[in-house]
Amino acid sequence: MSSIVLFGPPGAGKGTQAERMIDATGLPQVSTGDMLRAAVKAGTQTGLEAKGFMEAGLLVPDSVIIDLIKERIQEPDAKNGVMFDGFPRTIPQAEALEQITGVTHVIAIEVPDERIVERICGRYSCGACGNVYHDTFNPVPAGGCTCGNWEEKRRADDNEETVSSRLAAYHEQTSPLADWYRSKGIFHPVNGDRAIDDITGDILNALRL
Ligand code: AP5
């Protein structure tokens, strides 16, 4: 089993690229952010533990995240590996991941901080299928979402105050992982400050697909 990690700051485009890579890689997208939002909505114990951290733009404790991943990786669709989106985000999470599954590529989508706020504050998605759009850079087609069931949804943590906490958490706790993975020879940086299609092309090249 071999997995891929999509790495980068909040709003870098990890989810956008993951969606486009599902067919090419044959791997399911595993987004810890999506899993946590589902848990909050369902009111599970995990959701109750995570809610306050997410609303404040802080990282959810490692133990909660690692348990979620251990459970998710048991699902039948994960038998050939998965595409992690937003995980791991700390060294302890990366160390736990090493015990759970092999990682062949860490794709780092690099975007300067000044671009992040406009990306996050303009984001919305289709409540029916989860496709991600942007007010300016990637608007929903005139006839609604490609899934045919358009319902606009915006995230509670997509506001300027929370973005600065999320960026601080990224720089303090997550960015050290870049050197950690670079030393393992599986780190592939991609310039994420370009058109969405160009970035997809670079990721496919890095994966040799
Ligand atoms: P999570 O849901 O993972 O949020 P995030 O990392 O902050 O990343 P985003 O989902 O906001 O951004 P993205 O990189 O996927 O960008 P997107 O493709 O949407 O985490 C939320 C919270 O959950 C965390 O704050 C934390 O509390 C908790 N959490 C989750 N995982 C955790 C973990 N492992 N450990 C601890 N806590 C955890 O793109 C953004 C926008 O830009 C979209 O509107 C898109 O259309 C647009 N866009 C994309 N690409 C481009 C481009 N090239 N040009 C212009 N616009 C673009």
Side-chain angles (χ1 to χ4, degrees):
M1 176 157 93
S2 55
S3 294
I4 296 168
V5 170
L6 291 174
F7 179 85
K14 303 181 292 294
T16 299
Q17 295 299 332
E19 231 171 75
R20 296 167 155 241
M21 307 299 293
I22 292 172
D23 286 344
T25 60
L27 301 175
Q29 174 188 7
V30 170
S31 156
T32 39
D34 287 349
M35 292 164 78
L36 291 168
R37 279 183 288 280
V40 170
K41 193 172 173 196
T44 64
Q45 183 58 35
T46 299
L48 292 174
E49 284 180 62
K51 192 170 188 278
F53 293 99
M54 295 174 80
E55 282 173 353
L58 303 173
L59 293 189
V60 172
D62 289 334
S63 57
V64 174
I65 301 292
I66 293 165
D67 284 350
L68 266 184
I69 291 293
K70 280 185 178 158
E71 202 178 314
R72 178 62 183 86
I73 213 82
Q74 301 302 322
E75 300 282 329
D77 69 341
K79 69 177 189 307
N80 295 323
V82 304
M83 203 174 2
F84 290 109
D85 161 7
F87 172 85
R89 264 168 143 106
T90 63
I91 300 278
Q93 289 182 21
E95 287 170 343
L97 179 58
E98 278 195 322
Q99 308 301 317
I100 298 171
T101 180
V103 171
T104 55
H105 297 78
V106 175
I107 306 290
I109 305 177
E110 298 183 333
V111 179
D113 283 7
E114 58 270 23
R115 286 267 183 271
I116 295 297
V117 178
E118 59 181 344
R119 284 206 187 174
I120 286 185
C121 294
R123 170 169 51 191
Y124 57 101
S125 64
C126 171
C129 72
N131 271 353
V132 181
Y133 297 102
H134 190 280
D135 289 323
T136 311
F137 307 126
N138 184 25
V140 67
C145 184
T146 45
C147 77
N149 289 308
W150 175 235
E151 179 200 325
E152 183 179 319
K153 204 171 146 193
R154 297 205 181 234
R155 273 171 49 176
D157 61 344
D158 279 354
N159 55 67
E160 281 192 38
E161 304 87 82
T162 313
V163 173
S164 55
S165 313
R166 286 159 66 190
L167 268 174
Y170 172 77
H171 288 299
E172 284 160 30
Q173 292 166 274
T174 306
S175 64
L177 275 174
D179 279 345
W180 199 79
Y181 278 122
R182 208 174 271 121
S183 72
K184 294 180 185 293
I186 56 173
F187 188 79
H188 301 269
V190 167
N191 176 358
D193 191 12
R194 291 174 306 147
I196 293 173
D197 285 345
D198 294 346
I199 300 165
T200 309
D202 276 7
I203 298 176
L204 289 171
N205 280 340
L207 297 174
R208 299 187 193 284
L209 290 172

